[in-house]
Amino acid sequence: MAPVPPGIRFLASFKRDQWYRAFTFGLTFLLYTSFHLSRKPISIVKSELHKNCSALHELSTAGSRQLPSLHTETDCSWKPFDKSNYKQLLGAMDYSFLCAYAVGMFLSGIIGERLPIRLYLTFGMLMSGLFTCLFGLGRIYNIHNLSFYIFVQVANGLVQTTGWPSVVTCIGNWFGKGRRGLIMGIWNSHTSVGNILGSLIAGYWVSSNWGLSFIIPGLVIAAMGVVCFLFLIEREYCSVTGCMFKSPRVNGHKQLYHSYKQGGKSQNWDTELLLPVQQVVVVKSESEPSAISFMGALRIPGVIEFSLCLLFAKLVSYTFLFWLPLYITKAAHLDAKKAGELSTLFDVGGIVGGILAGVISDKLGKRATTCAVMLLLAAPTLYGFSMISEFGLGPTIGMLLVCGGLVNGPYALITTAVSADLGTHKSLKGNSRALSTVTAIIDGTGSVGAAIGPLLAGVLSSRGWNQVFYMLMAADFLALMVCARIHANRPCYWS
C-alpha cells in the first residue's frame, strides 16, 4: 500500500474548527479587500479629471505655422473639474463620501448588531458595487453634472459602512484574545492590499478610459457580495466545526452542546445549522442578553479616548489615501499611471506597520504605548516626506515605505485589536453583542477625521503642498497627546 503523502498528512493534522477559522479569516480578508479596492479609484483618477494640456497643444502646433491656439491649459480636463478651483471640487468629492461614511458608521453598528451579519454585509457590498459602477458610467455616458458625482459619492459612503463593523464582529466571534494583535495585524493588511489592487486596476485604465477604473472595481465588490451570501459563517457553531462537549459563548450566553447518535442514524434538529455532521442538543443556561445601546457602549472604559486618537490618526491616513497619487504627480512630475503605481509602496509599508504594531502590542501588552511610539516617529517622517521632490527614486521609495508603516500602524491597531478588546471588555460581563456597536463608534469617530483631512488638503494645497504636511504633522501630534491622556487616566491600557 502506497504511503500517504506528507502534504496530505499535514493537512489532515488540522481539526475541523481550525479549517473553518482559517476559511473565515481568508474570506473576511477578501471581502474587506474589495471594499478598499472600490474606494481607491477616485484618488488615481483625480489627475485625469483635471490635467494641464498646454504642453500637448504646444507640441501639436510646434511644427506648423498656424495662428496661436485658442485652447486653454485645462480644456482637456473633465468638466466640471476644469475650473481653477478644481482642488476644492475634488476635495468636496472626498468630503461627500467620507462625511456620509462617518455619519452612517454610527448607525451601521447599531443596525448590524440586530441583523444577520451575512445578509447585512451582502446588501452593502451589492449596493456599493452599484454606486461605484455609476461613477464610472458618468464617463461612459458623458455626464458633467457635479451633483451626479456628489450623489454617487454620498450614497456609496453610506452603504460602505456596512463593511467594517460586520467583518470585525465576525472575526471577533471566531478568534479569542490570544495573540489578537498579531492575528488582526495580519488580517488588517486587507486595507493596504485593497488599496494596492485598486491603484493597479484603476491605473491600468486611467489614461485610456477612466470610467473602467470605477466599473471594474465595482463589479469586483458586487461579485464578492455574492460570495459573502453563499459562504460567510458568522460565528463558530458546533454543528459546523464538529466540536464536542464545548460551552462557548454565543450571543453573550452560555450554551451546553452534547453530541450523540441514535441507532447509527442522523437526526435533524432545529438547533443544527450549517453542514450538520452530528446531532446537537442545545441547553440554554441563561436568557439571551439584548444588544448594547449607543450610550452604553460609550461608557465602556477607553472607548472615547481611543475614538479621539483614531480621529487624528485616520485623518492622516486617509489624506494620503485620497491625495498621495496627485501629490506624486505634481511633486515628482510623473504621469497618473506611474504615480498610482508608486503610491502603492505607501500601502506596502502599511502592511508591515500594521503587523509590527500587533506583534509589539501583544508582546508588551501595551496597545496605547505602541500607538504612541509610532505616532512619535511618524512626525519627523512626514516632514521628510514633504521634500519628496528633492529626493531621487531610491530615497523616495524608502520614504514611502517607512511613512506608510508609521502612519498606518496605529490606525490598524486601534481599528482591529483595540476595538475587539473594548468590544469584549470585562465590564460587559460576557455580553458579546457590543462588538459591532463599539467598532462602529471607534471607526465612525475616526471617519470624521478621515472626512476632514482630505477636505483640508483640497483647501490647503492651493497655497502649497507644505501647508498640507504641516496639517498632517499637527494631526499626528494631537493623536499623540490623546495617547498620553490615556496613559494618565487609564494606565491599564499601558500595562
Side-chain angles (χ1 to χ4, degrees):
M1 182 177 179
V4 178
I8 299 299
R9 287 202 304 270
F10 174 76
L11 295 177
S13 66
F14 292 97
K15 298 178 181 178
R16 184 190 296 269
D17 64 324
Q18 292 175 319
W19 278 114
Y20 276 104
R21 279 196 186 93
F23 176 78
T24 303
F25 182 95
L27 179 58
T28 53
F29 181 96
L30 293 176
L31 293 179
Y32 209 72
T33 293
S34 66
F35 273 94
H36 264 262
L37 183 150
S38 66
R39 295 178 196 174
K40 189 64 178 178
I42 185 66
S43 66
I44 304 298
V45 172
K46 279 178 180 175
S47 56
E48 194 69 19
L49 295 176
H50 181 95
K51 57 183 179 180
N52 191 320
C53 306
S54 57
L56 297 175
H57 295 307
E58 289 174 4
L59 290 174
S60 64
T61 59
S64 64
R65 297 181 178 179
Q66 298 175 352
L67 292 174
S69 174
L70 297 178
H71 290 295
T72 67
E73 65 177 16
T74 61
D75 67 349
C76 62
S77 299
W78 185 262
K79 296 179 181 180
F81 305 103
D82 58 340
K83 300 179 176 63
S84 59
N85 65 336
Y86 72 96
K87 289 182 179 179
Q88 287 83 351
L89 295 179
L90 293 174
M93 297 286 291
D94 298 336
Y95 183 74
S96 60
F97 173 89
L98 293 169
C99 188
Y101 185 87
V103 173
M105 182 60 73
F106 291 106
L107 299 174
S108 181
I110 297 173
I111 297 172
E113 207 78 77
R114 292 157 174 81
L115 294 176
I117 292 175
R118 180 174 62 90
L119 300 181
Y120 186 56
L121 187 56
T122 298
F123 169 79
M125 298 183 77
L126 292 176
M127 296 304 295
S128 182
L130 171 65
F131 290 118
T132 303
C133 289
L134 277 179
F135 198 107
L137 290 174
R139 166 67 173 81
I140 306 297
Y141 290 100
N142 208 31
I143 299 174
H144 297 279
N145 191 323
L146 180 63
S147 299
F148 169 80
Y149 296 104
I150 294 292
F151 166 76
V152 171
Q153 287 288 84
V154 170
N156 201 12
L158 289 173
V159 297
Q160 286 232 346
T161 61
T162 60
W164 189 243
S166 299
V167 294
V168 171
T169 300
C170 188
I171 205 75
N173 287 338
W174 278 90
F175 293 89
K177 292 187 177 182
R179 294 186 298 174
R180 178 174 276 171
L182 171 61
I183 292 172
M184 287 196 160
I186 296 172
W187 177 74
N188 192 65
S189 63
H190 51 48
T191 59
S192 296
V193 172
N195 291 339
I196 292 170
L197 293 177
S199 297
L200 295 177
I201 293 173
Y204 184 82
W205 280 287
V206 64
S207 298
S208 57
N209 185 353
W210 61 259
L212 292 176
S213 297
F214 289 91
I215 293 174
I216 301 302
L219 294 177
V220 170
I221 190 173
M224 290 306 298
V226 176
V227 173
C228 173
F229 176 77
L230 295 176
F231 297 105
L232 181 65
I233 308 172
E234 300 178 14
R235 57 172 51 86
E236 183 179 5
Y237 295 105
C238 282
S239 53
V240 175
T241 60
C243 59
M244 296 181 65
F245 302 102
K246 193 175 182 180
S247 298
R249 283 192 176 273
V250 179
N251 290 332
H253 60 269
K254 290 184 178 180
Q255 292 182 327
L256 176 64
Y257 290 82
H258 177 66
S259 303
Y260 72 100
K261 288 186 178 180
Q262 184 176 8
K265 296 181 181 180
S266 296
Q267 297 277 341
N268 290 325
W269 293 77
D270 292 337
T271 53
E272 282 195 315
L273 297 175
L274 303 173
L275 306 178
V277 293
Q278 56 190 352
Q279 297 82 358
V280 180
V281 177
V282 179
V283 180
K284 296 184 179 180
S285 60
E286 54 186 272
S287 60
E288 180 178 348
S290 59
I292 194 170
S293 66
F294 182 86
M295 294 305 298
L298 284 178
R299 285 193 289 268
I300 298 173
V303 167
I304 294 177
E305 291 92 334
F306 277 109
S307 296
L308 292 175
C309 185
L310 184 63
L311 186 150
F312 298 112
K314 200 168 182 178
L315 183 152
V316 179
S317 181
Y318 266 63
T319 301
F320 274 97
L321 173 67
F322 283 90
W323 285 92
L324 180 58
L326 181 62
Y327 171 69
I328 294 175
T329 299
K330 303 298 182 183
H333 308 290
L334 299 175
D335 61 31
K337 186 174 185 296
K338 291 181 180 178
E341 293 172 350
L342 190 61
S343 70
T344 61
L345 294 175
F346 181 84
D347 295 298
V348 173
I351 294 174
V352 177
I355 296 173
L356 190 62
V359 172
I360 294 174
S361 67
D362 277 346
K363 207 81 166 177
L364 301 178
K366 299 178 181 180
R367 308 281 195 214
T369 304
T370 305
C371 292
V373 171
M374 299 187 81
L375 290 167
L376 183 63
L377 296 174
T381 307
L382 288 170
Y383 179 77
F385 190 82
S386 66
M387 300 182 290
I388 186 175
S389 59
E390 300 177 11
F391 302 139
L393 182 60
T396 298
I397 291 174
M399 189 64 69
L400 282 167
L401 291 170
V402 174
C403 195
L406 294 176
V407 167
N408 284 338
Y411 161 46
L413 186 62
I414 294 173
T415 55
T416 54
V418 170
S419 296
D421 289 346
L422 296 176
T424 55
H425 192 268
K426 60 183 180 181
S427 64
L428 296 170
K429 299 179 180 179
N431 184 1
S432 65
R433 298 190 66 187
L435 184 53
S436 180
T437 302
V438 169
T439 301
I441 289 174
I442 293 176
D443 197 50
T445 306
S447 297
V448 174
I452 295 173
L455 177 66
L456 290 177
V459 174
L460 295 175
S461 60
S462 61
R463 306 176 187 175
W465 287 103
N466 283 339
Q467 301 295 319
V468 176
F469 283 95
Y470 293 149
M471 179 266 291
L472 295 178
M473 286 185 280
D476 181 83
F477 177 76
L478 289 172
L480 180 60
M481 291 299 97
V482 175
C483 280
R485 179 177 174 81
I486 298 174
H487 170 58
N489 294 346
R490 303 188 190 278
C492 59
Y493 290 110
W494 292 68
S495 59

